[in-house]
Structures are given as structure tokens and as C-alpha cells.
Amino acid sequence: MNGFLAVYRRELLSLWVTPLAWVLLTVFLLLQGAIFYSIITHFASMSEASVDTGPLQAYFGQESIFLLMTLLLVCPALTMRVFAEERRSGTIETLLTAPVTPASVVLGKYSALLTTYALIWAPTLLYVVVLRKTGVVDWGVVGASYLGLLGIGAAYLSLGTLMSAMTKSQLVALLLTIFVEFGSFILGVGEYIFEPGVFRDICAHVSMMSQMEDFSKGILDLRRVVFDGSVTLLGLFVTTRVVDSWRWG
Amino acid sequence: MIQVEDLTKDYGTVVAVRGVSFSVGKGEIVGFLGPNGAGKSTTLRVLAGFLGATSGHVRIAGHDIAKAPLAARRALGYMPESAPLYPEMRVSEYLMFRARLKEVPRTERLRAIGGAMDRAGVSHMAGTVIAHLSKGYRQRVALADALVSNPPLLILDEPTAGLDPNQIRDVRALVKDLGSDRTVLLSTHILSEVEATCERAIVIDRGRLVAEGTIEELRARQRSTGLELRVRDPHAAAEAALTAVFGVSVRSGVTEETAPDRRRLRLGLDAALDADTVTEAVVQALTAAGIGIHALVPEQASLEQVFSALTRHEPSAAPEQSAETA
């Protein structure tokens, strides 16, 4: 696990001393700010508020399509370089000839990405603080919503890490990740398109929008958590196998 | 320190290394020699554990790299070709990362990094971002990285590639210095490098091991095929006398400008005959013709000649050699 910590710290340093994380943070916060502002003005103009909805539920739930769109932008950009860059520059050779296992390399890098993802979300906690000034905030809803976002991020970052390990080109990694993640997002939209049946159930099961809608109501659906977790673990497992396979290239 | 048995590595249909066996003992500095594309880097990558062998066994410091990869990698410091580094990190940050990765105990890390930077000569660059370093300094940082865990074995892939002559001299001196207390295996296609730093060389060509031995042994492999002769010969009679000797051809004859009765001759000897017998016949023929012999020097093969003879791809090409000796 020594290797894990070393890789984790280096990856985190690399993410934050290069402009990438800062650019993503800025773009992300600008977009979130715009979404949040429009939701707030919308609620402010409403004459009477209903009981089961509020700006927070709208932000994390009903209107989560905007929020997920920004994730489809941010997550692939965050993961594209993680392995592709090391393979292009050759540093992967020094990394893999150190006494570390492929699993600790993959986990170290992935954990750094997940930490960065969490750090990028952290400033949005201010929105909750802002809302608290004017009304009551249901902390259960806030907690569940962030848990939902963490689950989606974990799955997206895992898939992105895998795509980055599949190619030496950051651009190809970016495009592949967008393709896969946007594809899964579109599959989720199928829930609103198809007739009731098995296919619609599948779409509903993988839908990130439905997940956020449930979580924003404070409903912690274990199936959602298991789904996110399985995608994450599968992605990391395959990535480890891919890294291992480079020895035989 | 290194035992390689029947190592083969193929990339799909291309066989990069075939059936190579050699060993490197403790404390040796061994040159791994071969023309470009001979399979040097592939072999070193297998030894370092970056690539898996298609077949064969490799033991590093007694650990089989297939069965105990981590133990084997702990015992070695590896510097890949072209010294890849993370450009965004500072030198000290990078070496700290490498020390952590290589399991240098926490309390010894700072000392290990300082020592490695001192030996590689980059101490004054500790705070510099790697992207701003010149090629020579990057090479040294990579070398410091190989040294940071103080491994008993160093594997260096073309450590002097792309450096200027002064830097090459520095790196060679450093390698020699490092070799005093550890085992070093370094690859190169530059022969003078092997002669300057190594005690022993392993020559590979097109994936096969073609020669192995000390520098002297390698040189001895190339038989003397020429004689250089200085004679007192006012009438240029020596050449006529020599043409009668079986197995000798006169390659050139030059009269010395300062002394018109002295000639300098270069003779080629038939490779199929024993060089000593022919030399004897040459002396007898010259003495019989009444020509005074001032000097008789067998041409010694340079490592360059040995190398080109070993790695020449057309076996029919006659070894046409130059007179320069190493």
C-alpha cells in the first residue's frame, strides 16, 4: 500500500499544479452558478411554493439534467490524461518498474481523481449555506444528493480511467469516454421514451437522472448504490488487467 | 546478480530477442552492446520487469522475475532509454515520490534523496521544475532516481544518449564510480563507452547473443590479419621479395620522406593460414634478400572491428580493415 499512497500523492500534485484541475474547477463552478441562479430566480418568482419541492430538490433532482451535462464535460476531461499521458511520455516505464503492483497504481490514480472530483464539488456547499439564510434546509436531502453525485462521479471516473488506459492519445481517451458516458446517459433517457416493459426497466435502472431524482428526495435506493459501485469496480478491475497486459505487448 | 536463461521475447510475429543466456556477477560493470534495433532495450526492459518474457527465466539478485516480481524490482535501479520524467514536478518532489514508491523508509528518505542528488550532481537543481531542465540534467535526474533506493544493481539503458561530450565524460566517470560498490549493466551502441567504463561486454545482434567476455577476450576473437613493417630498403626490393611468400599480399608501400632508404609497408595475411608461420616466412624472405628489418608490428583488432565483424550481416564481405588500433 506504500505504492498506493505515493501514486495518490503524485497524481493529486500533478492534477493541481497543472492548469487542468483549475480550468475544470472554474468552468464547472461557472456552469453550476448559472444553473443554480436560474433555479433560484425561478423559485423566487413563484407565488406559492409546494411542500415537496424546493430549490435544492430542483437543483439536485428534477433539473439534474443540467448538472449531469456538466459532469459529462468535466469527468472525461479529468480522466483523459491519467494513463494516456504516462504512456505517451514513457514515464509509465519508470512507474511500473518500481516495486508496485498494477492494482495499487490504478487505485492510487483513481483515488486522486475521485478526491479532485470531490474538491471540485466542495464549493457548491455554499449554495446550501445561501439557502439556509432564507429557509429551512433538509440536511438529509443534502447528504443524499451529494452521495448520489459521488456515486455517479465514481462510476464516470472509473470508466474514464479505463478509456485512458486503452489508448496512448489523450484526445482518443476523451472522445471514447464521452462516447461511453453520454451513451449511458442517453440510455437513461430511454425511460421516458419506451413503452412499459423490460427495456424501459433497464433504462430506468441505469438512468443517472432518475438516480438524482430519487436521491434528491432523500430516498437512498440501495439498487442505485449497488449499480454505481458495480460499474466503478468493474471499470477499475478491467483497468488493472489492461495495465497488467502491457507487460505482454 | 543477473542470470538470464534462454530468454525469448516476441512482439506478435516479430521476435525481438531469441534464446539469449548470460549472467552478470556481483560487483561487475558490464556493457550490453549491439547495433540499433538489436534487442538491447527489449532485453533490459524484461530484466527490469517492464516487459514479460515470452519464454526463458530471468533471476535478479536471486529472485525469479516471474515469480517474485516485487522482490526482484526492489533490488534494482532502472533507468529507461531517453530518461522519461514528469515535467510538472520539481526535482526534489520527483525524487521524493520515487523514494516513497521504492519503499525507502520515511526517516531515511531525505538523506537518500540528498545522497542520490549529490552523486548524480543535481543537488543545486533540487528546486527546479523538471520541464525547465536541459537534456543532460534530465539524464542525471533519472540517474538519481535509479540510485535513490541505493539498489545493489543498476540497469542503465543508453545512459549517455543525446549528451554532449563533456556530459558523456561525466556520466562515464559516474558509472565507473558507481560500479565500485555495486553491479552495473549498461547498454550502448558506442564501443568506446564500453572500453572506457566496462570490464566485460555482452554483444547481441538481431536478438541473438553473438559474443561475451572481457574487452581483451573480445579483442582476441578477431585474429591479427595484417602486419606493419618498417624496413631499410633503398631499392624497393622488399615488395618483390614479399610477393614470393605464400599467403602475403602487400597492401601499401610508402617511402619515408625524411629518410629515402626507409620504407613503411603494410601487409595483409591470408586469414586461412596461421599468422605466426606466415610472419616467420616474411622475416626469412626479407633477411634472405638482405633487407634490414626495423620494426614488425602485428595489427591489433580494435573493438570496432570486432564489433563490426560480429554484427556484420553479409558473411561474404571480407573484413577490410583500417590500420587504426584502439
PDB file of all heavy atoms in Angstrom, chain A residues 65-89:
ATOM      1  N   ILE A  65     -30.692  17.323 -15.105  1.00  0.00           N
ATOM      2  CA  ILE A  65     -30.127  17.129 -16.440  1.00  0.00           C
ATOM      3  C   ILE A  65     -28.990  18.127 -16.705  1.00  0.00           C
ATOM      4  O   ILE A  65     -27.971  17.772 -17.291  1.00  0.00           O
ATOM      5  CB  ILE A  65     -31.230  17.235 -17.526  1.00  0.00           C
ATOM      6  CG1 ILE A  65     -30.624  16.978 -18.903  1.00  0.00           C
ATOM      7  CG2 ILE A  65     -31.939  18.579 -17.489  1.00  0.00           C
ATOM      8  CD1 ILE A  65     -31.622  16.642 -19.967  1.00  0.00           C
ATOM      9  N   PHE A  66     -29.140  19.378 -16.202  1.00  0.00           N
ATOM     10  CA  PHE A  66     -28.089  20.384 -16.419  1.00  0.00           C
ATOM     11  C   PHE A  66     -26.806  19.994 -15.695  1.00  0.00           C
ATOM     12  O   PHE A  66     -25.711  20.080 -16.229  1.00  0.00           O
ATOM     13  CB  PHE A  66     -28.572  21.767 -15.931  1.00  0.00           C
ATOM     14  CG  PHE A  66     -29.791  22.234 -16.657  1.00  0.00           C
ATOM     15  CD1 PHE A  66     -31.006  22.385 -15.996  1.00  0.00           C
ATOM     16  CD2 PHE A  66     -29.728  22.525 -18.014  1.00  0.00           C
ATOM     17  CE1 PHE A  66     -32.129  22.815 -16.675  1.00  0.00           C
ATOM     18  CE2 PHE A  66     -30.855  22.953 -18.698  1.00  0.00           C
ATOM     19  CZ  PHE A  66     -32.062  23.100 -18.026  1.00  0.00           C
ATOM     20  N   LEU A  67     -27.029  19.571 -14.467  1.00  0.00           N
ATOM     21  CA  LEU A  67     -25.911  19.192 -13.617  1.00  0.00           C
ATOM     22  C   LEU A  67     -25.170  17.994 -14.193  1.00  0.00           C
ATOM     23  O   LEU A  67     -23.944  17.939 -14.219  1.00  0.00           O
ATOM     24  CB  LEU A  67     -26.563  18.870 -12.278  1.00  0.00           C
ATOM     25  CG  LEU A  67     -25.810  18.641 -11.042  1.00  0.00           C
ATOM     26  CD1 LEU A  67     -26.693  19.128  -9.908  1.00  0.00           C
ATOM     27  CD2 LEU A  67     -25.615  17.181 -10.929  1.00  0.00           C
ATOM     28  N   LEU A  68     -25.941  17.035 -14.746  1.00  0.00           N
ATOM     29  CA  LEU A  68     -25.304  15.855 -15.321  1.00  0.00           C
ATOM     30  C   LEU A  68     -24.570  16.195 -16.613  1.00  0.00           C
ATOM     31  O   LEU A  68     -23.537  15.602 -16.925  1.00  0.00           O
ATOM     32  CB  LEU A  68     -26.357  14.764 -15.571  1.00  0.00           C
ATOM     33  CG  LEU A  68     -26.888  14.130 -14.282  1.00  0.00           C
ATOM     34  CD1 LEU A  68     -28.103  13.266 -14.567  1.00  0.00           C
ATOM     35  CD2 LEU A  68     -25.804  13.298 -13.611  1.00  0.00           C
ATOM     36  N   MET A  69     -25.118  17.175 -17.361  1.00  0.00           N
ATOM     37  CA  MET A  69     -24.429  17.596 -18.577  1.00  0.00           C
ATOM     38  C   MET A  69     -23.035  18.133 -18.250  1.00  0.00           C
ATOM     39  O   MET A  69     -22.074  17.850 -18.956  1.00  0.00           O
ATOM     40  CB  MET A  69     -25.239  18.677 -19.317  1.00  0.00           C
ATOM     41  CG  MET A  69     -26.528  18.171 -19.906  1.00  0.00           C
ATOM     42  SD  MET A  69     -26.290  16.842 -21.076  1.00  0.00           S
ATOM     43  CE  MET A  69     -26.590  17.691 -22.585  1.00  0.00           C
ATOM     44  N   THR A  70     -22.957  18.921 -17.162  1.00  0.00           N
ATOM     45  CA  THR A  70     -21.629  19.442 -16.806  1.00  0.00           C
ATOM     46  C   THR A  70     -20.707  18.299 -16.375  1.00  0.00           C
ATOM     47  O   THR A  70     -19.505  18.332 -16.655  1.00  0.00           O
ATOM     48  CB  THR A  70     -21.701  20.495 -15.676  1.00  0.00           C
ATOM     49  OG1 THR A  70     -22.343  19.901 -14.562  1.00  0.00           O
ATOM     50  CG2 THR A  70     -22.427  21.726 -16.107  1.00  0.00           C
ATOM     51  N   LEU A  71     -21.268  17.258 -15.762  1.00  0.00           N
ATOM     52  CA  LEU A  71     -20.433  16.108 -15.391  1.00  0.00           C
ATOM     53  C   LEU A  71     -19.921  15.385 -16.626  1.00  0.00           C
ATOM     54  O   LEU A  71     -18.795  14.902 -16.652  1.00  0.00           O
ATOM     55  CB  LEU A  71     -21.212  15.130 -14.520  1.00  0.00           C
ATOM     56  CG  LEU A  71     -21.477  15.554 -13.082  1.00  0.00           C
ATOM     57  CD1 LEU A  71     -21.987  14.374 -12.284  1.00  0.00           C
ATOM     58  CD2 LEU A  71     -20.222  16.113 -12.451  1.00  0.00           C
ATOM     59  N   LEU A  72     -20.765  15.328 -17.662  1.00  0.00           N
ATOM     60  CA  LEU A  72     -20.340  14.677 -18.903  1.00  0.00           C
ATOM     61  C   LEU A  72     -19.199  15.452 -19.553  1.00  0.00           C
ATOM     62  O   LEU A  72     -18.464  14.937 -20.377  1.00  0.00           O
ATOM     63  CB  LEU A  72     -21.506  14.571 -19.881  1.00  0.00           C
ATOM     64  CG  LEU A  72     -22.575  13.541 -19.495  1.00  0.00           C
ATOM     65  CD1 LEU A  72     -23.755  13.600 -20.444  1.00  0.00           C
ATOM     66  CD2 LEU A  72     -21.979  12.148 -19.479  1.00  0.00           C
ATOM     67  N   LEU A  73     -19.075  16.708 -19.165  1.00  0.00           N
ATOM     68  CA  LEU A  73     -17.988  17.534 -19.689  1.00  0.00           C
ATOM     69  C   LEU A  73     -16.743  17.404 -18.799  1.00  0.00           C
ATOM     70  O   LEU A  73     -15.630  17.227 -19.282  1.00  0.00           O
ATOM     71  CB  LEU A  73     -18.458  18.989 -19.709  1.00  0.00           C
ATOM     72  CG  LEU A  73     -17.539  20.049 -20.287  1.00  0.00           C
ATOM     73  CD1 LEU A  73     -17.710  20.085 -21.785  1.00  0.00           C
ATOM     74  CD2 LEU A  73     -17.880  21.399 -19.672  1.00  0.00           C
ATOM     75  N   VAL A  74     -16.976  17.479 -17.498  1.00  0.00           N
ATOM     76  CA  VAL A  74     -15.862  17.563 -16.551  1.00  0.00           C
ATOM     77  C   VAL A  74     -15.167  16.216 -16.345  1.00  0.00           C
ATOM     78  O   VAL A  74     -13.941  16.126 -16.377  1.00  0.00           O
ATOM     79  CB  VAL A  74     -16.364  18.136 -15.201  1.00  0.00           C
ATOM     80  CG1 VAL A  74     -15.340  17.939 -14.101  1.00  0.00           C
ATOM     81  CG2 VAL A  74     -16.714  19.604 -15.355  1.00  0.00           C
ATOM     82  N   CYS A  75     -15.945  15.149 -16.179  1.00  0.00           N
ATOM     83  CA  CYS A  75     -15.332  13.857 -15.846  1.00  0.00           C
ATOM     84  C   CYS A  75     -14.402  13.328 -16.941  1.00  0.00           C
ATOM     85  O   CYS A  75     -13.268  12.940 -16.642  1.00  0.00           O
ATOM     86  CB  CYS A  75     -16.406  12.825 -15.496  1.00  0.00           C
ATOM     87  SG  CYS A  75     -17.199  13.214 -13.935  1.00  0.00           S
ATOM     88  N   PRO A  76     -14.823  13.305 -18.207  1.00  0.00           N
ATOM     89  CA  PRO A  76     -13.881  12.819 -19.234  1.00  0.00           C
ATOM     90  C   PRO A  76     -12.623  13.683 -19.320  1.00  0.00           C
ATOM     91  O   PRO A  76     -11.523  13.164 -19.528  1.00  0.00           O
ATOM     92  CB  PRO A  76     -14.689  12.909 -20.532  1.00  0.00           C
ATOM     93  CG  PRO A  76     -16.110  12.868 -20.106  1.00  0.00           C
ATOM     94  CD  PRO A  76     -16.132  13.595 -18.793  1.00  0.00           C
ATOM     95  N   ALA A  77     -12.788  15.005 -19.126  1.00  0.00           N
ATOM     96  CA  ALA A  77     -11.613  15.882 -19.205  1.00  0.00           C
ATOM     97  C   ALA A  77     -10.658  15.616 -18.041  1.00  0.00           C
ATOM     98  O   ALA A  77      -9.447  15.752 -18.165  1.00  0.00           O
ATOM     99  CB  ALA A  77     -12.048  17.339 -19.202  1.00  0.00           C
ATOM    100  N   LEU A  78     -11.238  15.210 -16.926  1.00  0.00           N
ATOM    101  CA  LEU A  78     -10.421  14.937 -15.738  1.00  0.00           C
ATOM    102  C   LEU A  78      -9.625  13.638 -15.904  1.00  0.00           C
ATOM    103  O   LEU A  78      -8.476  13.531 -15.478  1.00  0.00           O
ATOM    104  CB  LEU A  78     -11.356  14.833 -14.528  1.00  0.00           C
ATOM    105  CG  LEU A  78     -10.797  15.067 -13.124  1.00  0.00           C
ATOM    106  CD1 LEU A  78     -10.157  16.436 -13.033  1.00  0.00           C
ATOM    107  CD2 LEU A  78     -11.925  14.942 -12.118  1.00  0.00           C
ATOM    108  N   THR A  79     -10.238  12.658 -16.536  1.00  0.00           N
ATOM    109  CA  THR A  79      -9.601  11.337 -16.593  1.00  0.00           C
ATOM    110  C   THR A  79      -8.749  11.110 -17.845  1.00  0.00           C
ATOM    111  O   THR A  79      -7.942  10.192 -17.850  1.00  0.00           O
ATOM    112  CB  THR A  79     -10.669  10.216 -16.569  1.00  0.00           C
ATOM    113  OG1 THR A  79     -11.631  10.477 -17.586  1.00  0.00           O
ATOM    114  CG2 THR A  79     -11.328  10.122 -15.232  1.00  0.00           C
ATOM    115  N   MET A  80      -8.899  11.932 -18.869  1.00  0.00           N
ATOM    116  CA  MET A  80      -8.296  11.589 -20.163  1.00  0.00           C
ATOM    117  C   MET A  80      -6.780  11.393 -20.090  1.00  0.00           C
ATOM    118  O   MET A  80      -6.220  10.535 -20.758  1.00  0.00           O
ATOM    119  CB  MET A  80      -8.627  12.647 -21.207  1.00  0.00           C
ATOM    120  CG  MET A  80      -8.048  14.016 -20.925  1.00  0.00           C
ATOM    121  SD  MET A  80      -8.468  15.168 -22.239  1.00  0.00           S
ATOM    122  CE  MET A  80      -7.606  16.630 -21.689  1.00  0.00           C
ATOM    123  N   ARG A  81      -6.083  12.155 -19.242  1.00  0.00           N
ATOM    124  CA  ARG A  81      -4.629  12.094 -19.254  1.00  0.00           C
ATOM    125  C   ARG A  81      -4.066  11.029 -18.321  1.00  0.00           C
ATOM    126  O   ARG A  81      -2.901  10.691 -18.404  1.00  0.00           O
ATOM    127  CB  ARG A  81      -4.033  13.446 -18.871  1.00  0.00           C
ATOM    128  CG  ARG A  81      -4.666  14.098 -17.653  1.00  0.00           C
ATOM    129  CD  ARG A  81      -3.805  15.154 -17.076  1.00  0.00           C
ATOM    130  NE  ARG A  81      -2.647  14.582 -16.412  1.00  0.00           N
ATOM    131  CZ  ARG A  81      -2.690  13.925 -15.275  1.00  0.00           C
ATOM    132  NH1 ARG A  81      -3.843  13.720 -14.650  1.00  0.00           N
ATOM    133  NH2 ARG A  81      -1.595  13.431 -14.732  1.00  0.00           N
ATOM    134  N   VAL A  82      -4.894  10.455 -17.470  1.00  0.00           N
ATOM    135  CA  VAL A  82      -4.368   9.725 -16.315  1.00  0.00           C
ATOM    136  C   VAL A  82      -3.410   8.587 -16.688  1.00  0.00           C
ATOM    137  O   VAL A  82      -2.360   8.432 -16.073  1.00  0.00           O
ATOM    138  CB  VAL A  82      -5.517   9.282 -15.382  1.00  0.00           C
ATOM    139  CG1 VAL A  82      -6.402   8.230 -16.009  1.00  0.00           C
ATOM    140  CG2 VAL A  82      -4.973   8.793 -14.065  1.00  0.00           C
ATOM    141  N   PHE A  83      -3.724   7.815 -17.719  1.00  0.00           N
ATOM    142  CA  PHE A  83      -2.767   6.797 -18.182  1.00  0.00           C
ATOM    143  C   PHE A  83      -2.183   7.151 -19.548  1.00  0.00           C
ATOM    144  O   PHE A  83      -1.026   6.859 -19.826  1.00  0.00           O
ATOM    145  CB  PHE A  83      -3.423   5.414 -18.244  1.00  0.00           C
ATOM    146  CG  PHE A  83      -3.445   4.715 -16.916  1.00  0.00           C
ATOM    147  CD1 PHE A  83      -4.620   4.572 -16.215  1.00  0.00           C
ATOM    148  CD2 PHE A  83      -2.272   4.224 -16.372  1.00  0.00           C
ATOM    149  CE1 PHE A  83      -4.633   3.937 -14.979  1.00  0.00           C
ATOM    150  CE2 PHE A  83      -2.275   3.594 -15.147  1.00  0.00           C
ATOM    151  CZ  PHE A  83      -3.458   3.454 -14.451  1.00  0.00           C
ATOM    152  N   ALA A  84      -3.013   7.775 -20.407  1.00  0.00           N
ATOM    153  CA  ALA A  84      -2.556   8.069 -21.771  1.00  0.00           C
ATOM    154  C   ALA A  84      -1.276   8.903 -21.760  1.00  0.00           C
ATOM    155  O   ALA A  84      -0.334   8.628 -22.502  1.00  0.00           O
ATOM    156  CB  ALA A  84      -3.657   8.799 -22.532  1.00  0.00           C
ATOM    157  N   GLU A  85      -1.229   9.902 -20.866  1.00  0.00           N
ATOM    158  CA  GLU A  85      -0.067  10.783 -20.826  1.00  0.00           C
ATOM    159  C   GLU A  85       1.189  10.019 -20.395  1.00  0.00           C
ATOM    160  O   GLU A  85       2.267  10.202 -20.953  1.00  0.00           O
ATOM    161  CB  GLU A  85      -0.335  11.940 -19.861  1.00  0.00           C
ATOM    162  CG  GLU A  85       0.690  13.036 -19.949  1.00  0.00           C
ATOM    163  CD  GLU A  85       0.393  14.168 -18.975  1.00  0.00           C
ATOM    164  OE1 GLU A  85       0.005  13.880 -17.827  1.00  0.00           O
ATOM    165  OE2 GLU A  85       0.550  15.325 -19.380  1.00  0.00           O
ATOM    166  N   GLU A  86       1.049   9.157 -19.405  1.00  0.00           N
ATOM    167  CA  GLU A  86       2.202   8.397 -18.918  1.00  0.00           C
ATOM    168  C   GLU A  86       2.734   7.463 -19.993  1.00  0.00           C
ATOM    169  O   GLU A  86       3.926   7.202 -20.074  1.00  0.00           O
ATOM    170  CB  GLU A  86       1.804   7.570 -17.688  1.00  0.00           C
ATOM    171  CG  GLU A  86       1.415   8.418 -16.511  1.00  0.00           C
ATOM    172  CD  GLU A  86       2.227   8.086 -15.278  1.00  0.00           C
ATOM    173  OE1 GLU A  86       3.287   7.466 -15.417  1.00  0.00           O
ATOM    174  OE2 GLU A  86       1.782   8.463 -14.187  1.00  0.00           O
ATOM    175  N   ARG A  87       1.817   6.930 -20.786  1.00  0.00           N
ATOM    176  CA  ARG A  87       2.273   6.007 -21.822  1.00  0.00           C
ATOM    177  C   ARG A  87       2.916   6.774 -22.964  1.00  0.00           C
ATOM    178  O   ARG A  87       3.890   6.335 -23.553  1.00  0.00           O
ATOM    179  CB  ARG A  87       1.093   5.193 -22.335  1.00  0.00           C
ATOM    180  CG  ARG A  87       0.654   4.181 -21.301  1.00  0.00           C
ATOM    181  CD  ARG A  87       0.347   2.854 -21.933  1.00  0.00           C
ATOM    182  NE  ARG A  87      -0.849   2.908 -22.741  1.00  0.00           N
ATOM    183  CZ  ARG A  87      -1.095   2.055 -23.724  1.00  0.00           C
ATOM    184  NH1 ARG A  87      -0.209   1.134 -24.029  1.00  0.00           N
ATOM    185  NH2 ARG A  87      -2.211   2.144 -24.395  1.00  0.00           N
ATOM    186  N   ARG A  88       2.356   7.947 -23.280  1.00  0.00           N
ATOM    187  CA  ARG A  88       2.917   8.738 -24.370  1.00  0.00           C
ATOM    188  C   ARG A  88       4.326   9.220 -24.001  1.00  0.00           C
ATOM    189  O   ARG A  88       5.247   9.130 -24.799  1.00  0.00           O
ATOM    190  CB  ARG A  88       1.961   9.917 -24.657  1.00  0.00           C
ATOM    191  CG  ARG A  88       2.422  10.975 -25.571  1.00  0.00           C
ATOM    192  CD  ARG A  88       2.490  10.678 -27.047  1.00  0.00           C
ATOM    193  NE  ARG A  88       1.496   9.871 -27.702  1.00  0.00           N
ATOM    194  CZ  ARG A  88       0.554  10.332 -28.518  1.00  0.00           C
ATOM    195  NH1 ARG A  88       0.422  11.606 -28.716  1.00  0.00           N
ATOM    196  NH2 ARG A  88      -0.250   9.514 -29.138  1.00  0.00           N
ATOM    197  N   SER A  89       4.495   9.688 -22.764  1.00  0.00           N
ATOM    198  CA  SER A  89       5.785  10.262 -22.379  1.00  0.00           C
ATOM    199  C   SER A  89       6.782   9.193 -21.941  1.00  0.00           C
ATOM    200  O   SER A  89       7.966   9.458 -21.830  1.00  0.00           O
ATOM    201  CB  SER A  89       5.598  11.276 -21.257  1.00  0.00           C
ATOM    202  OG  SER A  89       5.277  10.606 -20.064  1.00  0.00           O
TER     203      SER A  89
END
